[in-house]
Amino acid sequence: MNEQTTAAMSPTTNDEGTMNIDDLTASGPDADAGTVVRITTGAVRGAAAAGATAWKGIRYAQPPTGARRWRAPVAADAWDGIADATAFGNVAPQEIVPAISLGPGAEPDEDCLYLNVWRPDGGSDAKPVMVWIHGGAYTYGASSQPLFDATRLAVTGDVVVVTINYRIGALGFLDLSSFSTEDEVFDSNLALRDVLLALEWVQANIAAFGGDPAQVTVFGESAGGGLVTALLATPTAEGLFRAAIAESSPVTSMYGRERSRGVAERFLAAAGIGIDGAVSALRRLPVDRIVSASSAVYNDVPSTIPGTLAFAPVVDGDLLPEHPITVLSEGRGLPVPLIIGTNRDEATLFKYMKSPLIPITRDAIERMFALMLEDNPALAAPSRDQVLGAYRGARRSARGLDIATDIGFRMPTLWAAAGHSRVAPTYLYRFDFTTLALRLIGIGAAHGTELPYVWGVLDGGLKDPTFKLGGRRAGEALSRRLLARWTTFARTGAPGPGWPAYTEGGRKTLVIDREDRVEPDLDGALRAAWGDVVLSFR
């Protein structure tokens, strides 16, 4: 467990109330003025890395435990002395799965609201800032994952990078607000509130690390991308960032109070808690029972209601007043520049991992359509034959995967991009790059396969098949291009030459592959089949 341990001495301050670095460096031979930073809650000591300094495990919120479980986060208390910031904080409680490495020594604990900062050496202060929100189906993952080592991203792009933990699974996304009483209150959208508090921390503290609080770009993938698109529809997020990147965002996979209440009831049943006794039992429930009940509900919901997730942001009419896809498709999102896109073969990963999250069988897809139309009875939705017509050229075995990719990711992204392009510069991409090994095992350009190239972390370990049959040189060149595009966007609000903005008139899309290319109306046939009616569960 990561504790914010402090040194025995307390840093002194000058007349202006700021820390005297001379006093800190005089406190011992191991103290280093380059790694000690004073923030609003105290001093933190990081560690030098290759071309950068990293501060890990900085507490940004009080422990969300005991009476604070299922409550909005509260900013961290101040501390005396110098807190050690050389190791990652605890990861959010979750079922440990071999496919997701949380990093060496990762400790799951409810006390998990920590963040990390990387600052490149040299150059001037007021560097652009990139704040990463990890993915993991709103149920898995952490900022400590080795893939998200930000050293290369920070050094290559000359940006300050912040990666954050937030509550996941039932502890972060279960909406228990309908069970609130006068004495026991449960808040909604806990994870989204965590992210907002972390962004407030960035505004208050990032200048101390050489970052410019007026140049913050928030970026995330999968569930992290979903939180990015939710932020664009969250009024209280205004002013906390000036640009956004959403990679493979499940934009439409967010639901209203009624559906969320149903998930809460399933959770109570899985945890062995009666509805009548829920309030008194929930905050005493052992964490391991919360995780096991979360896992059961995580698998049960998409299996019984294809196309839906158990855990996701809630359209609560309060923090998130409207469905993000409605806000974005109507051009009412926060007017900040946006990069948004998907991967060509999103759904193959879910098939490979035997995940229930994405419906890929004919029965599941048809059931999903029927349920979606029930939720949207007033819409002139596309007919089944009209949609299937777009996939006649695909192999029969691949049709389900293609449809799942498009309804889960591509079409929501197109709806969001079209609407947002009316209020801010918007840049649409499709990631097509793959290697021979990934193609042969049926993965292709699957969900998440762009991440190593964005982060410049191409060594996935002995079991990573990506470059087993070649492609390393092309992958390294692609990574250099993506790093440049993402960090140029963070610096200027545009991703550099060769990538025109997406508009409803031109609909130009960057196809990211061995050689990038711009395609006009890449998704024309797809849009014609699906139509411009925005479909989502409510």
Side-chain angles (χ1 to χ4, degrees):
M1 183 180 300
N2 181 296
E3 299 289 343
Q4 287 285 0
T5 55
T6 58
M9 51 78 68
S10 294
T12 61
T13 56
N14 58 25
D15 292 339
E16 289 74 37
T18 57
M19 183 175 61
N20 288 317
I21 293 295
D22 288 342
D23 293 334
L24 293 174
T25 55
S27 64
D30 295 329
D32 180 353
T35 64
V36 174
V37 167
R38 178 78 180 185
I39 59 177
T40 55
T41 45
V44 290
R45 177 181 285 117
T53 301
W55 292 263
K56 301 175 181 177
I58 301 174
R59 182 188 293 282
Y60 71 88
Q62 296 177 26
T65 57
R68 292 199 183 98
R69 180 188 280 178
W70 285 305
R71 293 303 310 272
V74 177
D77 289 328
W79 57 80
D80 295 324
I82 307 173
D84 178 70
T86 59
F88 289 113
N90 303 319
V91 304
Q94 59 194 278
E95 182 182 20
I96 303 302
V97 295
I100 302 175
S101 171
L102 300 177
E107 289 285 345
D109 194 282
E110 274 192 270
D111 179 13
C112 62
L113 299 183
Y114 298 90
L115 54 73
N116 320 292
V117 181
W118 281 260
R119 180 187 69 197
D121 297 340
S124 61
D125 285 347
K127 298 179 188 295
V129 181
M130 300 184 72
V131 180
W132 174 249
I133 308 173
H134 71 80
Y138 301 114
T139 304
Y140 300 101
S143 63
S144 57
Q145 291 175 239
L147 179 59
F148 307 140
D149 182 325
T151 305
R152 184 168 182 189
L153 181 61
V155 171
T156 303
D158 194 30
V159 295
V160 173
V161 182
V162 179
T163 64
I164 66 174
N165 280 357
Y166 56 93
R167 285 171 282 182
I168 58 179
L171 288 166
F173 293 97
L174 194 66
D175 182 10
L176 296 167
S177 57
S178 62
F179 294 95
S180 292
T181 67
E182 197 171 305
D183 298 321
E184 290 282 353
V185 176
F186 299 96
D187 294 312
S188 60
N189 279 315
L190 301 164
L192 184 56
R193 294 179 193 273
D194 292 344
V195 173
L196 288 166
L197 184 61
L199 289 171
E200 290 172 5
W201 184 97
V202 169
Q203 288 297 311
N205 293 291
I206 205 63
F209 298 90
D212 182 357
Q215 280 190 292
V216 174
T217 295
V218 62
F219 70 131
E221 183 267 346
S222 191
L227 284 164
V228 169
T229 49
L231 285 169
L232 291 171
T234 301
T236 54
E238 186 171 8
L240 295 179
F241 55 94
R242 74 149 198 179
I245 302 173
E247 303 171 29
S248 300
S249 169
V251 190
T252 53
S253 297
M254 300 176 197
Y255 319 106
R257 292 274 187 163
E258 183 177 349
R259 193 175 293 279
S260 298
R261 166 82 185 206
V263 171
E265 291 176 355
R266 288 179 188 238
F267 173 83
L268 294 176
I273 297 174
I275 292 177
D276 291 340
V279 171
S280 61
L282 280 166
R283 289 201 170 97
R284 299 196 310 270
L285 199 63
V287 173
D288 58 350
R289 278 181 63 190
I290 294 175
V291 171
S292 61
S294 293
S295 297
V297 175
Y298 169 88
N299 288 296
D300 181 52
V301 168
S303 298
T304 56
I305 313 173
T308 67
L309 304 177
F311 304 114
V314 177
V315 183
D316 58 8
D318 177 23
L319 186 70
L320 194 58
E322 299 178 74
H323 201 303
I325 193 59
T326 301
V327 174
L328 293 173
S329 66
E330 294 180 359
R332 294 188 287 113
L334 299 181
V336 301
L338 172 67
I339 287 177
I340 189 168
T342 65
N343 294 2
R344 185 189 60 205
D345 308 311
E346 296 277 4
T348 56
L349 178 70
F350 301 96
K351 180 182 179 182
Y352 184 79
M353 296 179 67
K354 297 181 172 61
S355 169
L357 294 186
I358 297 291
I360 59 176
T361 66
R362 177 173 177 171
D363 287 346
I365 290 171
E366 298 216 356
R367 171 76 172 145
M368 177 191 67
F369 272 120
L371 293 170
M372 196 172 282
L373 292 177
E374 286 179 16
D375 269 17
N376 300 272
L379 294 181
S383 70
R384 171 186 176 278
D385 290 341
Q386 178 183 333
V387 170
L388 291 178
Y391 302 92
R392 287 202 178 100
R395 291 178 292 109
R396 181 177 295 273
S397 60
R399 285 180 191 170
L401 291 171
D402 290 346
I403 293 171
T405 289
D406 294 335
I407 192 58
F409 297 100
R410 191 62 186 178
M411 289 309 303
T413 290
L414 294 178
W415 295 325
H420 198 70
S421 70
R422 299 173 206 150
V423 295
T426 300
Y427 302 89
L428 179 67
Y429 73 86
R430 192 182 74 188
F431 184 84
D432 283 18
F433 180 80
T434 189
T435 62
L436 178 59
L438 293 186
R439 192 179 302 118
L440 289 176
I441 63 177
I443 292 291
H447 189 70
T449 53
E450 87 286 3
L451 288 173
Y453 307 102
V454 169
W455 289 88
V457 180
L458 302 188
D459 294 311
L462 293 176
K463 294 184 179 180
D464 180 10
T466 303
F467 300 114
K468 295 295 186 184
L469 299 177
R472 177 83 185 208
R473 183 175 298 178
E476 290 174 344
L478 171 63
S479 181
R480 288 192 292 271
R481 294 199 306 275
L482 271 186
L483 279 166
R485 291 192 189 281
W486 264 226
T487 56
T488 297
F489 180 74
R491 181 169 290 102
T492 67
W499 188 349
Y502 185 85
T503 65
E504 291 179 281
R507 298 187 186 274
K508 293 180 179 179
T509 303
L510 182 74
V511 178
I512 300 171
D513 208 334
R514 286 176 178 264
E515 298 292 334
D516 295 348
R517 68 184 191 276
V518 174
E519 292 283 351
D521 204 5
L522 175 69
D523 304 289
L526 195 63
R527 289 188 304 101
W530 284 93
D532 291 322
V533 174
V534 175
L535 292 174
S536 66
F537 286 99
R538 299 298 173 184

